[in-house]
Amino acid sequence: MEASVILPILKKKLAFLSGGKDRRSGLILTIPLCLEQTNMDELSVTLDYLLSIPSEKCKARGFTVIVDGRKSQWNVVKTVVLMLQNVVPAEVSLVCVVKPDEFWDKKVTHFCFWKEKDRLGFEVILVSANKLTRYIEPCQLTEDFGGSLTYDHMDWLNKRLVFEKFTKESTSLLDELALINNGSDKGNQQEKERSVDLNFLPSVDPETVLQTGHELLSELQQRRFNGSDGGVSWSPMDDELLAQPQVMKLLDSLREQYTRYQEVCRQRSKRTQLEEIQQKVMQVVNWLEGPGSEQLRAQWGIGDSIRASQALQQKHEEIESQHSEWFAVYVELNQQIAALLNAGDEEDLVELKSLQQQLSDVCYRQASQLEFRQNLLQAALEFHGVAQDLSQQLDGLLGMLCVDVAPADGASIQQTLKLLEEKLKSVDVGLQGLREKGQGLLDQISNQASWAYGKDVTIENKENVDHIQGVMEDMQLRKQRCEDMVDVRRLKMLQMVQLFKCEEDAAQAVEWLSELLDALLKTHTRLGDDAQETKVLLEKHRKFVDVAQSTYDYGRQLLQATVVLCQSLRCTSRSSGDTLPRLNRVWKQFTIASEERVHRLEMAIAFHSNAEKILQDCPEEPEAINDEEQFDEVEAVGKSLLDRLTVPVVYPDGTEQYFGSPSDMASTAEHIRDRMKLVSLKRQQLRHPEMMTTES
């Protein structure tokens, strides 16, 4: 019977063992009766429980029962005493009924316990509380009976509960630990065939039970022997003395079995950890070599554009994300295996190293495949990026070539031609970069078979290779077409540059010719002071005319070249249409002015030559000097020359233009008149010689 089962009854304190002993060293059992009616069944249960606690040796010394009837009725006391005959007849040696003062005197005669001693099996005495010490030492009596023995029923009950709980748990735990430990030994003998007991765990925590036992033992050992005032020593409660060795024995057994259990757990944990690691390793290996490898085998393409390559890269990142989870498991497993290798037994080293090597080989191989695939897709993305940029450059160049050229001048043509050459050069650089990227991608694809796990990737590789080569060939053809068109456009633009140059030079020739005409009219005004100077001026004028003739011829040639270039370019010159009339008009004006200048110089030469002959003093040829016709001719030429100086140059369009300024013409005319005066004076002298004599 356990105290926890009848705990509500025990709490009523219907009976108790205080730990006190009689003079025969028998235990004292106290039954405190109260005013309320005592439940005999509960009292019987309580007595049965209390009498089961002492040892057989202690029971052999007998019990002294104190029935405290001071607060109860006589019939209840009598019933309790009679009940003791049925409950503990052999163990009871003396029953002391503590009576109230002068309450039962008249009724005692009705029932004499001493007469019933033989039938009851024990002696019953009626005694007052103050006379109880005649039979029991005061130090063995509780305070209720005037003694000095301290007893706390709830404290005893709590200790009893703890003791019984510890005893029950420790006994059960010992059986469980023995079963586990024996099963482990059996499993070791049968190598790896273990019984079900190895998977069995204790129903309670051994640490908790051990701690409870140590606390209980410590509390039991705190009670020490004490002495009463009379010098009689007493010991702790007998159940406590009995409990101590039981607790110590249970603790020793528990420590022994728990130590073995800890070793079994350590071995089991190590084996379980090894099995878990092996299971996880196989999970990682099976996934990487199964679904993981299948995912990579299914991804062989490189895409045909940037968007397609980016989509494949995104898909590959998803695959890498799934692999990263398994790689994280690999890292954790590798750390666990390394820890086991550092602290493992010799028998596990080979298996652990084999698992570690297998796991590392598979993970590194799969990681290499992922990296190879990532590099391949990155190379494909770069290849398609360069191809797209090159395609856009070719489209821009083609668009520029398809637009008709209508520049404003030669400078804009030169700028357009320079831009065209730069675009073509950029296309060359782009095509070269495409070839390099394509060749690098082809080299990577050629190495793809090394991680194909035996799969024939020739067909897939051929599609990728054909696509790459097709892109490069297409770009080469487009570039060649653009180059041909650039050559045609370059020739056309160079012809246009020549056309604009010819037009500009022709306009410049007109300007030069106009400047020559302006110089002729404004600066070529002198007719010379004598015949020799006039001849020099005439020679210079002829050279001046030759320069003008060359300028005119140069302009005509340039205009003829513009006509030829316009016919070749199938366009209409914007400037040659009015440049030729301007050139002809200026040349006509120059010719008229030049002829007028020649006439004037020739008349001046004739005038100065005749005047110089007359004015020279030549007595050897008087007949020549006296010729009147010479004087008349000089006078006539002089007048004609003066008249011509006043006449403007008239152009075909009716416009008029004078040589030089009026002052220039007046100076020239004055010089001619002075000559004419000298000739006239000479003529008079020849007619009247006496005048010369008189004057002399």
Side-chain angles (χ1 to χ4, degrees), residues 243-302:
Q244 290 186 29
Q246 286 183 267
V247 172
M248 293 176 64
K249 183 178 179 181
L250 288 173
L251 285 175
D252 292 339
S253 299
L254 275 176
R255 279 191 288 266
E256 179 183 357
Q257 291 294 337
Y258 184 52
T259 302
R260 290 181 59 195
Y261 171 73
Q262 286 179 317
E263 179 63 22
V264 170
C265 289
R266 190 186 69 81
Q267 293 294 335
R268 182 194 302 174
S269 175
K270 184 180 69 172
R271 190 64 205 174
T272 302
Q273 186 177 9
L274 184 61
E275 290 177 353
E276 290 178 354
I277 289 176
Q278 185 176 12
Q279 183 181 3
K280 290 182 179 179
V281 167
M282 294 313 299
Q283 288 179 352
V284 175
V285 170
N286 291 337
W287 190 90
L288 292 178
E289 291 183 343
S293 297
E294 188 60 32
Q295 287 178 349
L296 284 177
R297 279 195 285 266
Q299 298 293 317
W300 54 266
I302 62 173

Side-chain angles (χ1 to χ4, degrees), residues 333-395:
L333 288 175
N334 200 34
Q335 292 175 350
Q336 293 178 3
I337 293 174
L340 290 177
L341 286 174
N342 293 332
D345 297 332
E346 293 293 334
E347 58 186 15
D348 299 329
L349 292 180
V350 176
E351 185 176 0
L352 287 172
K353 289 182 178 180
S354 176
L355 287 175
Q356 188 180 43
Q357 187 64 42
Q358 181 184 11
L359 183 63
S360 298
D361 291 343
V362 174
C363 289
Y364 280 124
R365 182 169 62 248
Q366 200 75 357
S368 299
Q369 295 166 14
L370 288 170
E371 183 180 7
F372 179 88
R373 176 65 180 168
Q374 178 62 32
N375 293 336
L376 182 67
L377 291 176
Q378 183 62 33
L381 182 63
E382 293 176 357
F383 172 77
H384 289 123
V386 174
Q388 179 174 298
D389 293 341
L390 180 58
S391 179
Q392 292 175 353
Q393 292 178 359
L394 289 170
D395 290 341

Side-chain angles (χ1 to χ4, degrees), residues 602-621:
E602 289 178 347
M603 290 178 66
I605 290 173
F607 173 74
H608 285 300
S609 297
N610 292 329
E612 288 174 357
K613 289 180 180 180
I614 293 174
L615 293 177
Q616 287 178 354
D617 189 7
C618 300
E620 294 86 1
E621 299 179 357

Side-chain angles (χ1 to χ4, degrees), residues 87-129:
V87 177
V88 284
E91 287 84 359
V92 177
S93 58
L94 176 64
V95 176
C96 296
V97 178
V98 181
K99 64 180 182 176
D101 295 336
E102 299 177 356
F103 185 70
W104 291 339
D105 291 343
K106 296 179 181 181
K107 296 181 180 180
V108 170
T109 58
H110 294 286
F111 186 83
C112 296
F113 287 111
W114 65 272
K115 294 181 180 181
E116 301 292 331
K117 179 179 180 182
D118 295 335
R119 185 172 65 87
L120 293 174
F122 49 79
E123 181 182 0
V124 180
I125 60 174
L126 294 175
V127 63
S128 299

Side-chain angles (χ1 to χ4, degrees), residues 64 68-69 115 180 188 197 231 352 361-362 393 452 479 640 667:
T64 295
D68 187 0
K115 294 181 180 181
I180 294 173
N188 291 333
D197 294 337
L352 287 172
D361 291 343
V362 174
Q393 292 178 359
K479 187 248 184 184
S640 297
S667 175

Side-chain angles (χ1 to χ4, degrees), residues 196-209:
V196 181
D197 294 337
L198 290 182
N199 297 323
F200 176 71
L201 295 177
S203 58
V204 293
D205 181 20
E207 292 285 350
T208 303
V209 176

